Each structure stands twice: as structure tokens, then as C-alpha cells.
Amino acid sequence: MSEERNSKAEKIKWYGLAFMAFSTVWGFGNVVNGYVYFNGIQVIFSWILMFALYFIPYALMVGELGSAFKNSGSGVNAWIYETTGPKLAYYAGWTYWACHITYIASKGSGFLKALSWTVFRNAETYDSFPTLYIQLGTLAVFLIGCLIASRGINPLKKILTVAGTSMFVMSFLYILMMLAAPAVNPDAEYVTMDLSLKNLIPNFNLGYFTSLSILVFAVGGCEKVSPYVNKMEEPSRNFPKGIIAMAVMVLGCAMLGSIAMGRMFDPAVINESRESFNSYAANGSYWAFQKIGEYYHVGDLFLIVYAICNMISQFAVLILSIDAPLRMLLDNEKTKDFIPSKLRRKNEYGAYSNGILLVMVLSGAIILIQSFVPGAAAVLQQLTKLNSVCMPLRYLWVFVAYLALRKSLNRFPAEYRFVRSQKTAKFFGGWCFLITAVCCIMGMYSSDLFTFALNVITPIVLTALGLIMPKLAENERKKVSG
């Protein structure tokens, strides 16, 4: 009887799952990017659409996959392997790893930007450095990260947890303090907002549709909580309850954060020139905390705390992003036949040295190519768009796995089902796949030819490498057997 009580006590409550999922999906940068890219508070309309038509069904499909494959610890790769076979599982693993190549390239720049704000407390100093020097500095930070990852240890995991938690707290702190600021300090300078329906409806132009990948990128990643579906009390009832609660929290944070930004930054100023837009996209989060300090008469206190947290987080995430996706790809025994043995070679520390070398070549190439971009702020804005094109491509495999699961429903029993109707389930799986693919493709477009080329060429090169690897592995086996 006591064992039964202990087992029940260990079960995850619906609100516990909601907070776990929230911290996995959401970050303060999503508020800033949404506000900057979608003309201020007009982003509220887009957030509502994105959550209703994409995020909620996506999250609930993840719940069903997690329930069906509750004993699998490798997530999407295992889902694809069980439903389709090893070759597609390899491509899913490759996509997950390849998407992080652009993400890794952005972390060094993010670290230097945070360091500059910590020391100089302004945007101008960092932006005044020649792009070549900034990118060489970014390359140095990146190579140090690769060196640490090659040692087969990850000493920054605890630091990352602390930094991630503090960034989560800072995001809520910003919203609460900014919304309270007019009452605490009514004499400060605020932007007047027009919250009428007419002003909230966005202009559905080319810029709007080519920026939707920013929102898809912002709400993705909830598949990380799927292993906890069967550790809940009454998962068929409480998992969707927890996911919906998380969606309400994220939507509330997005809307309240956008309103808070609306009292602080004028969209007309943000969009008055390309340079202004790039600067707000790169520095908006720092300016936000700097202004909060001004409103509460504490100087740059909040800015410095935020910048230090972000600096530590950027470097720790850099190392994790070099190490973890590579292990996910190369540790999988079920897909090793599609990868050349040289790439799977480990050094004396147990790290995939040749895999890290490949990361150095690919991410390093992106960093060096951007040396020709005029302006450090433009580099960060360009990387944000590139990540919004590449990173959501990994979500496509979630929907492939879901469609394959529903096709073979009797083979994979699950305690929780998103919907009972097969037609409805397949519609939502296909719909979310289509939304993700279309937003990524449209997100490639840019009026700047260099940015457009980078957004198109990068996914093509990474995809081509993924197709070449099985051929190289096959040729390797033929040489050994011949």
C-alpha cells in the first residue's frame, strides 16, 4: 500500500509538466524577435494564430508519440526508426545535427555581444568594431568551445542550468516590472500604444510571410517533454491539460511581453531604416533591461545581470550544441551503417574528434563568410533569420513520425491519443508539416542578396552532405569486403 502511495506521489502533476514544457520552449529573445520582426504590437495577432493553428496540435501530437514510445530515450530518432526504419532514422538524426551547424555559428557572436554589453553597457561599442575583427573573435570563441568539447567532458552543464533558470526568471521580471513601471514612475518617458483592433491587424505583405519562420522557430522544441507523458497521473486527461496550460502561459507571456515592449519601443523608430532594424534586432533585449533600470532608478543593474547571464548561457549552449547533437547522430548503433567509420572515430577522451572537426569546418565557414557583412549588428540579424530557416527543419521529422504512427496505429498502443479520428489526426499531421516547410522556404527570402544566398545555400549544402554520407559508408564497406 505504501509503495502504491509512493508511486503515486512520484507521478508528475499537470501543472508540473506545464512549467517543464514552458521552460523548454520559451525565452525572452522570442518576445524581442516577435516585436521587432512583426511591427510592434501587431505581433499579438500573429502569436494567437500561430498558437491556435500550429503550436497546440503540434504539442499534443508530441504527447501521443511520447506515449506510444515511452521506453525510448532518443526521441525523434527512435520514433522514426520504429515507424519507418533505420535509413529515415539516420536522416532524422542528420537533420537534427545539421540544423545545429548554423545555431553553433551564432553562439560565439551572441557571447561577444553579451560580453560587450557587460563591459561597455552600450550597443555602439560592439557595432563600431570592423566586422572582420568581430568574426575573428567569434571564430576564436567557437574554437575554444570545440577544444573543450573534444576533451569529452562538459563542465558547463550546471552553469547552463543556473544561467537558463536565471534567464527564465529575468524574462518574467521584465514583464512584471515593465507593466508596473508607469504606476511606480509615472513621470518617465513611455510610448503611447493604440490597442484598437484596426491597429493590431498586421499588413499581410511579403515581409510578413517571409518572417513567419521566426515564430515557428520560437514555439518549437516541445518534443523534449514527451518522455514524461507516461510518468503523469492519468496521462490521457492530464497531459493535454498540462500542454494547454503551457500554451496559455506562453501565449500570455508573448502577449504581455509584446505590450510591455509597446510601452518602451516605437515600431516607427525600429523600422525607419535597415540599420535601425538590425540594431534593434541585435540589441533590443539589452535596451529593454537598461530602460527598466532607468525607470526604477537603479542604473544599469538589471542590464548587467541580464548580460552576464546571457554571456554564460551563450558559451555553455555553444559547447552543448557541439557535443550533444553529434552524439545523438553518431551514438545510435541502429543507424551506424549509413555513416563512415572515420566520422565515428573517438579520441582518448571518448569524444568524436572527426565529427567535431567537421563541425569546425562547417560552422567555421559560416563565421568566416560573414566577415564580409557590413556591420556587426547585421551579422546577428542575419544569423537569427538563418536559424529560423534551418532549425525548424528538424520539426518536420516529428510530423513524419506522427503520420507513420497513425498509419500503423495497431502496432503501437498508446495510453494517450491526440484525437481518435484517423482522418483528423492525419490532417493535423500533414497541416503542421506543411506549415513548417512553407514557413522555412518563405523565410529564405531576403531583399539582401548575400543573406538570401546564405539562407538558400546553407540548407542545400547540409542536405547534400547528409545524402553523401551513406554513399561514402557503402563504398567503405565495399573496399573492406573486396
Side-chain angles (χ1 to χ4, degrees):
M1 192 74 174
S2 61
E3 288 183 6
E4 185 178 340
R5 281 197 300 269
N6 290 336
S7 177
K8 189 173 182 181
E10 292 171 0
K11 293 287 186 180
I12 299 172
K13 309 291 185 182
W14 66 267
Y15 48 84
L17 182 92
F19 280 107
M20 288 167 60
F22 180 86
S23 61
T24 299
V25 170
W26 197 249
F28 183 65
N30 296 328
V31 176
V32 178
N33 286 336
Y35 189 83
V36 170
Y37 278 90
F38 289 86
N39 198 32
I41 58 172
Q42 287 183 358
V43 73
I44 292 174
F45 178 87
S46 302
W47 280 129
I48 293 172
L49 281 184
M50 184 59 65
F51 278 87
L53 300 179
Y54 182 79
F55 180 59
I56 292 177
Y58 164 37
L60 296 179
M61 281 185 272
V62 163
E64 184 174 340
L65 284 161
S67 181
F69 305 108
K70 60 184 178 182
N71 297 319
S72 171
S74 54
V76 179
N77 286 21
W79 301 343
I80 294 292
Y81 177 82
E82 295 292 341
T83 55
T84 63
K87 190 162 190 177
L88 285 184
Y90 156 74
Y91 287 124
W94 177 269
T95 303
Y96 188 87
W97 172 79
C99 288
H100 279 80
I101 294 298
T102 60
Y103 189 66
I104 290 167
S106 70
K107 293 295 101 178
S109 295
F111 172 85
L112 292 180
K113 167 63 77 172
L115 176 62
S116 176
W117 270 99
T118 303
V119 176
F120 302 109
R121 305 177 196 176
N122 64 68
E124 291 74 23
T125 302
Y126 181 85
D127 294 345
S128 66
F129 288 118
T131 308
L132 178 60
Y133 295 168
I134 290 291
Q135 292 308 99
L136 289 176
T138 299
L139 184 64
V141 172
F142 164 63
L143 292 177
I144 292 171
C146 288
L147 178 63
I148 295 173
S150 70
R151 295 290 172 173
I153 57 173
N154 207 334
L156 300 181
K157 282 185 178 179
K158 291 183 179 179
I159 297 175
L160 178 64
T161 301
V162 172
T165 303
S166 61
M167 292 285 282
F168 173 74
V169 171
M170 292 294 286
S171 299
F172 269 102
L173 186 67
Y174 167 77
I175 293 172
L176 292 174
M177 296 192 75
M178 184 57 223
L179 294 177
V184 175
N185 187 2
D187 296 327
E189 184 178 339
Y190 303 99
V191 175
T192 302
M193 288 189 301
D194 178 7
L195 290 173
S196 64
L197 182 61
K198 180 181 178 181
N199 193 51
L200 290 175
I201 302 298
N203 296 318
F204 297 104
N205 52 25
L206 181 63
Y208 177 86
F209 289 107
T210 56
S211 297
L212 283 175
S213 58
I214 294 285
L215 301 187
V216 173
F217 180 33
V219 300
C222 65
E223 62 270 11
K224 293 177 184 177
V225 301
S226 60
Y228 302 103
V229 176
N230 290 282
K231 296 180 182 179
M232 299 186 68
E233 291 181 359
E234 300 181 57
S236 60
R237 182 170 65 91
N238 286 331
F239 183 81
K241 188 176 179 181
I243 287 295
I244 291 171
M246 179 269 292
V248 171
M249 289 167 60
V250 173
L251 180 58
C253 188
M255 294 178 69
L256 291 175
S258 299
I259 291 171
M261 286 265 165
R263 297 304 313 272
M264 189 176 274
F265 301 122
D266 186 351
V269 176
I270 295 173
N271 295 311
E272 67 182 3
S273 68
R274 171 53 61 180
E275 289 73 20
S276 177
F277 180 88
N278 288 341
S279 191
Y280 272 92
N283 301 291
S285 59
Y286 299 100
W287 281 329
F289 281 97
Q290 190 172 48
K291 284 202 170 193
I292 287 289
E294 293 172 3
Y295 293 152
Y296 285 84
H297 305 294
V298 293
D300 290 334
L301 174 63
F302 293 120
L303 164 66
I304 293 171
V305 172
Y306 174 77
I308 290 173
C309 291
N310 199 22
M311 181 176 63
I312 296 170
S313 180
Q314 293 284 333
F315 190 69
V317 168
L318 168 64
I319 297 171
L320 284 176
S321 298
I322 293 169
D323 182 69
L326 195 59
R327 291 185 183 276
M328 186 176 291
L329 173 66
L330 301 179
D331 275 347
N332 194 342
E333 289 293 317
K334 296 170 183 176
T335 60
K336 67 178 183 179
D337 290 341
F338 303 99
I339 301 170
S341 60
K342 288 183 179 179
L343 195 61
R344 291 185 282 109
R345 186 175 298 161
K346 293 183 179 181
N347 61 17
E348 64 270 29
Y349 302 103
Y352 289 104
S353 52
N354 287 340
I356 293 173
L357 184 61
L358 183 59
V359 172
M360 290 171 63
V361 172
L362 295 173
S363 294
I366 294 174
I367 291 170
L368 291 176
I369 286 170
Q370 289 189 301
S371 299
F372 301 99
V373 176
V379 170
L380 287 169
Q381 186 271 334
Q382 194 177 77
L383 285 169
T384 299
K385 279 292 288 178
L386 182 59
N387 279 323
S388 77
V389 169
C390 292
M391 288 295 278
L393 291 173
R394 60 193 170 132
Y395 310 151
L396 292 173
W397 290 106
V398 174
F399 309 125
V400 170
Y402 185 73
L403 289 169
L405 170 67
R406 297 301 297 218
K407 186 178 180 181
S408 307
L409 199 62
N410 295 330
R411 286 177 54 207
F412 306 107
E415 188 174 349
Y416 161 71
R417 296 291 183 193
F418 165 37
V419 288
R420 295 294 172 185
S421 167
Q422 282 287 78
K423 288 184 178 179
T424 304
K426 291 178 180 179
F427 167 78
F428 276 112
W431 168 257
C432 287
F433 183 96
L434 182 65
I435 290 293
T436 306
V438 169
C439 286
C440 287
I441 292 170
M442 289 193 302
M444 292 178 180
Y445 173 77
S446 174
S447 56
D448 178 71
L449 186 60
F450 183 85
T451 302
F452 181 52
L454 190 65
N455 289 346
V456 173
I457 293 172
T458 303
I460 290 175
V461 169
L462 293 174
T463 301
L465 278 173
L467 296 172
I468 289 170
M469 288 296 170
K471 298 291 184 183
L472 295 177
E474 184 180 350
N475 290 338
E476 184 181 65
R477 287 193 299 273
K478 287 179 179 179
K479 287 182 181 178
V480 172
S481 61

